[in-house]
Amino acid sequence: MERYDLLIIGAGPSGLSAAIEAAGKGMRVCIFDENAKPGGQLFKQVHKFFGSREHMAKIRGFRIGTMLLEQAEQLDVKVYLNAAVLGIYENHVISVRIGDDIRNFRGDNIIVATGASERMIPFEGWTLPGVIGAGAAQTMMNLHGVMPGERILMVGSGNVGLVVSYQLIQAGCKVEAIIDASPKIGGYGVHAAKVARLGVPFYMSHTIEKAEGDEKVERVVIGQVDSNWKIIPGTEKEFDVDTVCIAVGLSPMSQLTKMAGCHMVDMGGLVPECNEYGETSISGIFAAGDVAGIEEASSAMLTGRIAANGALGRSGFITEDEMRSRHSELVSSLDQLRQGMFAKKNRGKIITETEEGYTLSESLKTRGYVTEEELEEFPSAMDDGVKGIHPVIECTQNIPCNPCQDACKMGCIRIGEQIANIPVLDRSKKCIGCGMCVASCSGQAIFLVDETYEDGYASISMPYELLPLPKAGDVGAGLDRSGHEVCRAEVIDVRSMKAFDKTNVLTVKVPVEMAHKVRCFRSDV
């Protein structure tokens, strides 16, 4: 029987982060993952992360995955792939199926980092080919380069539903609509705004009634729901789609901790009860990442490190004082990610104002975009008589994210120590139009506007991540925040730099009166 200081079950963001933390302090670490490749969900995630620099903000998920794998390899972490852990037994023994063999391993400590699985909802026709989870769609697109379908209905408006909808459009699919039984959009407003300005409509308080088709999905029927979640007769709408993506939440994959005898609690799914170090009711068995409670991947990486730090202290690789000091650092970093209106403490609460006292947009929560009138309350989204090129920031929710502050070398953008603050513009600083803030914003909520570009015309620089990439001289539609054409627009510049990391900065010329309406471009080509 092979023995290690630490066994980790799951090579996703939390498991890899735990391995790096532990191996960096001298532990012999072994990771098991049932998949053919390590990295978990990270390699599906082509969007830029939120948070701060220490949370790897503005870095795309697959790049973070590569970085973690390289660090683990440098620290001689042993990784078994295609390795399914069958059970956790007494004395920290686990049985693993590797190929055709069953092998036993023993660890002084075990970290369970098995993640979560997609939830599904039953409806008439839900077993037809073409009904898939949003995560499955990500796998097809971002790992295998396969379009999940041509015309998509997305069910679920949380961050997963919003992010995957945007990625579906990037892959060349048409997202016909995003629906949700909830009356409000569940994910970040900036994610919703990205798809709204591409013309995707939102149907809140709607659910799917049925999918129809002879051998695969060919159409779906949705309907508005009442306060009892029942479809209201006469509200049905039909869409011709070939794919239904389900993004209605995740369930912790906590079977191993339950089997091991850990005390379990219900937190919207059974999870092991853990102390502040991530240790379960069984000494030496820890839980990290989604298996201990559903959060974002950035949080999972930190909970993995917290669990590893607990294991290091338990086995004497670090002193108790060192363990507590490191724990404080990690918890402080995690607390930053848990700030803002989407924090755990605010789940279920009705929030009508930002922490600064600005009124939250009702349109954003129901239609996916902030109206021009609502934006007037946010100083960073308005001009205040500024001449020449300047940033316009349409970030109107308290989200833990501050790359824009770091990106602006001129100091035009300030957020402060609390990373969930609404960005503020320092009008005493001069914007040079470099576009770094536009490309660095993980929510694609920053634009550069110059109403004095040309007599009667303004220029607007915007983030652009679609193909084919327009070129200078192309003419097309200037789209407003709801995705409707409001004027004709001409491309005057397209900037693509290594520092932008695939977020191109597209600059268009529009009539000056449209400077604060146009937020997207659709080429005629």
Side-chain angles (χ1 to χ4, degrees), residues 61-210:
F62 70 93
R63 297 196 193 282
I64 295 173
T66 300
M67 292 163 59
L68 293 179
L69 287 174
E70 289 174 350
Q71 291 176 46
E73 184 177 342
Q74 290 168 4
L75 292 167
D76 293 324
V77 173
K78 178 66 176 177
V79 180
Y80 283 98
L81 300 175
N82 295 311
V85 175
L86 305 177
I88 302 174
Y89 305 98
E90 290 184 2
N91 299 318
H92 299 165
V93 172
I94 68 172
S95 289
V96 189
R97 187 184 69 239
I98 303 174
D100 295 328
D101 299 329
I102 303 295
R103 297 170 59 180
N104 294 325
F105 296 80
R106 184 174 179 181
D108 293 339
N109 302 275
I110 297 173
I111 295 178
V112 181
T114 43
S117 60
E118 292 190 279
R119 290 177 177 168
M120 296 297 286
I121 52 173
F123 51 87
E124 184 181 339
W126 74 304
T127 58
L128 280 171
V131 178
I132 60 175
Q138 266 193 321
T139 300
M140 294 172 70
M141 291 183 295
N142 301 339
L143 294 185
H144 304 299
V146 176
M147 284 176 59
E150 295 184 359
R151 302 181 312 281
I152 317 289
L153 175 76
M154 178 63 69
V155 182
S157 68
N159 280 335
V160 172
L162 298 175
V163 167
V164 174
S165 292
Y166 181 72
Q167 292 174 5
L168 285 162
I169 296 169
Q170 288 180 302
C173 308
K174 178 174 174 53
V175 178
E176 296 289 349
I178 298 174
I179 71 170
D180 200 310
S182 171
K184 306 291 184 183
I185 292 171
Y188 291 172
V190 288
H191 283 323
K194 286 192 299 185
V195 292
R197 60 178 175 251
L198 290 171
V200 178
F202 286 80
Y203 291 89
M204 307 311 295
S205 296
H206 280 72
T207 191
I208 185 167
E209 180 177 354
K210 59 183 176 180

Side-chain angles (χ1 to χ4, degrees), residues 296-334:
E296 300 292 328
S298 300
S299 299
M301 290 188 281
L302 283 166
T303 59
R305 289 185 177 274
I306 287 171
N309 179 64
L312 285 163
R314 178 180 179 276
S315 293
F317 281 81
I318 56 177
T319 67
E320 186 172 342
D321 285 345
E322 288 173 328
M323 179 181 69
R324 292 191 178 280
S325 175
R326 177 59 172 157
H327 180 73
S328 295
E329 292 175 11
L330 293 167
V331 169
S332 175
S333 183
L334 183 59

Side-chain angles (χ1 to χ4, degrees), residues 285-300:
I285 298 181
F286 298 77
D290 283 347
V291 74
I294 306 299
E295 291 191 81
E296 300 292 328
S298 300
S299 299

Side-chain angles (χ1 to χ4, degrees), residues 196-472:
R197 60 178 175 251
L198 290 171
V200 178
F202 286 80
Y203 291 89
M204 307 311 295
S205 296
H206 280 72
T207 191
I208 185 167
E209 180 177 354
K210 59 183 176 180
E212 299 176 327
D214 293 331
E215 297 181 353
K216 60 183 180 62
V217 174
E218 296 175 3
R219 73 195 66 83
V220 296
V221 177
I222 70 170
Q224 186 175 350
V225 297
D226 59 21
S227 58
N228 295 316
W229 309 102
K230 301 295 184 183
I231 292 179
I232 302 170
T235 64
E236 293 84 359
K237 301 175 183 66
E238 188 173 298
F239 292 91
D240 291 326
V241 299
D242 55 31
T243 306
V244 178
C245 276
I246 308 295
V248 294
L250 302 170
S251 295
M253 296 179 67
S254 58
Q255 296 91 334
L256 286 173
T257 54
K258 184 178 181 181
M259 176 187 177
C262 301
H263 182 252
M264 309 294 287
V265 293
D266 191 347
M267 293 175 56
L270 281 181
V271 299
E273 186 175 39
C274 299
N275 66 14
E276 61 180 323
Y277 294 99
E279 191 170 19
T280 69
S281 59
I282 298 178
S283 178
I285 298 181
F286 298 77
D290 283 347
V291 74
I294 306 299
E295 291 191 81
E296 300 292 328
S298 300
S299 299
M301 290 188 281
L302 283 166
T303 59
R305 289 185 177 274
I306 287 171
N309 179 64
L312 285 163
R314 178 180 179 276
S315 293
F317 281 81
I318 56 177
T319 67
E320 186 172 342
D321 285 345
E322 288 173 328
M323 179 181 69
R324 292 191 178 280
S325 175
R326 177 59 172 157
H327 180 73
S328 295
E329 292 175 11
L330 293 167
V331 169
S332 175
S333 183
L334 183 59
D335 284 344
Q336 283 192 307
L337 291 175
R338 290 173 171 172
Q339 294 175 4
M341 61 179 288
F342 291 90
K344 276 185 175 181
K345 63 183 180 181
N346 291 326
R347 288 178 184 172
K349 294 182 180 179
I350 298 175
I351 300 175
T352 59
E353 292 185 341
T354 70
E355 294 174 2
E356 296 83 359
Y358 303 131
T359 303
L360 287 170
S361 166
E362 282 299 315
S363 176
L364 182 63
K365 290 185 284 185
T366 56
R367 296 185 288 178
Y369 61 91
V370 186
T371 66
E372 203 168 337
E373 293 72 25
E374 289 172 326
L375 282 170
E376 291 177 359
E377 189 169 351
F378 294 85
S380 60
M382 305 310 295
D383 282 335
D384 295 336
V386 177
K387 300 296 183 183
I389 195 164
H390 56 277
V392 171
I393 306 179
E394 299 186 1
C395 178
T396 62
Q397 295 176 330
N398 295 118
I399 296 172
C401 191
N402 70 359
C404 56
Q405 179 175 261
D406 294 335
C408 184
K409 303 305 180 185
M410 306 307 293
C412 298
I413 303 173
R414 292 184 289 106
I415 288 179
E417 294 183 5
Q418 218 282 33
I419 66 170
N421 287 342
I422 300 290
V424 175
L425 295 176
D426 185 344
R427 299 299 188 186
S428 68
K429 307 295 184 181
K430 177 66 175 176
C431 174
I432 59 174
C434 67
M436 283 302 302
C437 60
V438 177
S440 298
C441 177
S442 303
Q444 298 187 18
I446 302 181
F447 308 85
L448 297 179
V449 178
D450 184 0
E451 295 92 339
T452 61
Y453 172 74
E454 201 175 88
D455 187 28
Y457 290 90
S459 70
I460 305 168
S461 297
M462 60 188 69
Y464 198 88
E465 294 184 346
L466 303 176
L467 294 175
L469 190 63
K471 59 183 184 297

